[in-house]
C-alpha cells in the first residue's frame, strides 16, 4: 500500500512485492540485472514482485499487525 510516492506500508506479501518492483524500477534496474546481482533467477524475481513469497512471510506480517506493528519500506538515508 503506497503511503507516499516513496513509501510503502507492507500489510501483505503483495504489498512487499509492489515495493520491490517500484524501487527496482525507480533505480533503473531491470529484472534480469537485479536477479543476476542477487543470485536468483529472473522468473523467481518476477514471482516475488507479484507477491509470491510463501506462507511464512504472510504469517509473519499477520502476526506483526496483530501485535500492533507495521512494516514500512522506504529508501535508505544516504550514509555519511
Amino acid at each position: 500500500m503506497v503511503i507516499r510516492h516513496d513509501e510503502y506500508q507492507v500489510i501483505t506479501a503483495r504489498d512487499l512485492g509492489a515495493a520491490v518492483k517500484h524501487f527496482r524500477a525507480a533505480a533503473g534496474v531491470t529484472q534480469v540485472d537485479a536477479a543476476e546481482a542477487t543470485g536468483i533467477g529472473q522468473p523467481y524475481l518476477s514471482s516475488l514482485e507479484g507477491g509470491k513469497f510463501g506462507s511464512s512471510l504472510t504469517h509473519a506480517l499477520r502476526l506483526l499487525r496483530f501485535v500492533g506493528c507495521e512494516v514500512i519500506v522506504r529508501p535508505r538515508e544516504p550514509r555519511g
Side-chain angles (χ1 to χ4, degrees):
M1 168 189 313
V2 179
I3 298 172
R4 295 183 210 146
H5 112 45
D6 63 342
E7 288 189 350
Y8 281 73
Q9 181 179 21
V10 177
I11 298 170
T12 66
R14 185 174 292 270
D15 294 336
L16 184 57
V20 169
K21 182 176 182 176
H22 168 81
F23 289 112
R24 176 192 53 74
V29 178
T30 67
Q31 277 190 344
V32 171
D33 290 340
E36 185 176 297
T38 57
I40 62 174
Q42 182 275 327
Y44 181 61
L45 175 56
S46 180
S47 71
L48 293 178
E49 289 185 354
K52 296 179 177 85
F53 287 89
S55 62
S56 296
L57 177 62
T58 298
H59 293 299
L61 292 170
R62 284 183 190 159
L63 180 58
L64 286 168
R65 273 185 61 107
F66 177 74
V67 298
C69 294
E70 64 183 0
V71 177
I72 306 292
V73 177
R74 66 170 136 306
R76 288 187 302 210
E77 293 293 323
R79 294 182 183 173

